[in-house]
Amino acid sequence: MPKETGRKVIASNRKARHDYTIEDVFEAGIVLSGTEVKALRMGRASLIDGFCEIDGHEIWMHGVHIPEYSQGSWTNHGPRRKRKLLLHRDEIDRLESKTREKGQTIVPLSLYFLDGRAKVEIALARGKREYDKRQALRERQDNMEAVKAIREKRDR
């Protein structure tokens, strides 16, 4: 059987880009059990309530839902257990110093397989206020209307 290549996205957290201003992005490995990997290969996961926490020079991901593997036995995993992330020490130290600032947090953006290995894309993010969210939606809508007007003028 040939080795898996490329990037296969399992789950993405689109709401995080709406709720947070993304400042820096990191790619991390995940420590998983066998049944979790099988459940991910079936394409089932949810990052909606996920967040990361640094505890004693280790980074842990909480709230990510990977459902139990349907053919699993007593060795099945807990769907919302905390999972250790694998990053270089200097990256963890940088994240730790940044998250001490007010309003900074670490959120998972996407979960994917890269060349057969499970990876998660995490971001250092700052929470948006309600008016920031409305302004971002308004800007996106204005850009879409401008592109539409240009397209209509060009087609005439």
Side-chain angles (χ1 to χ4, degrees):
M1 193 159 115
K3 188 172 179 179
E4 227 180 292
T5 58
R7 182 175 166 152
K8 179 186 169 200
V9 177
I10 301 159
S12 61
N13 190 356
R14 291 174 40 198
K15 191 174 182 194
R17 295 192 187 274
H18 175 70
D19 291 340
Y20 299 97
T21 302
I22 307 301
E23 295 185 1
D24 205 358
V25 178
F26 298 89
E27 179 181 75
I30 317 170
V31 177
L32 298 173
S33 69
T35 54
E36 287 176 313
V37 175
K38 290 184 178 204
L40 287 177
R41 290 207 186 278
M42 293 172 64
R44 300 167 50 200
S46 173
L47 298 173
I48 299 298
D49 299 328
F51 66 96
C52 297
E53 175 182 65
I54 297 174
D55 182 30
H57 296 295
E58 292 181 338
I59 186 163
W60 296 87
M61 185 168 59
H62 298 270
V64 173
H65 185 266
I66 299 176
E68 288 188 352
Y69 181 57
S70 57
Q71 280 86 36
S73 61
W74 58 272
T75 60
N76 246 337
H77 61 278
R80 286 201 183 269
R81 73 176 187 90
K82 69 178 190 175
R83 295 167 178 92
K84 186 177 180 180
L85 299 183
L86 306 172
L87 281 170
H88 290 285
R89 173 59 52 92
D90 61 318
E91 292 175 325
I92 293 173
D93 291 342
R94 188 169 24 166
L95 282 170
E96 189 172 23
S97 67
K98 290 285 190 177
T99 54
R100 286 196 180 118
E101 296 176 20
K102 188 174 181 354
Q104 296 274 9
T105 187
I106 305 168
V107 292
L109 295 179
S110 64
L111 187 61
Y112 54 92
F113 282 107
L114 183 67
D115 297 334
R117 300 193 189 281
K119 303 281 184 182
V120 65
E121 188 175 62
I122 59 174
L124 181 65
R126 183 179 299 280
K128 282 186 184 176
R129 294 202 166 81
E130 200 61 40
Y131 59 84
D132 291 333
K133 294 178 192 178
R134 284 194 297 267
Q135 184 178 357
L137 285 171
R138 193 175 308 116
E139 285 175 9
R140 189 165 58 226
Q141 187 175 8
D142 290 345
N143 288 340
M144 287 173 42
E145 288 174 1
V147 167
K148 185 177 177 183
I150 291 170
R151 191 177 300 135
E152 286 177 0
K153 187 160 185 124
R154 186 181 51 201
D155 290 342
R156 286 184 189 170

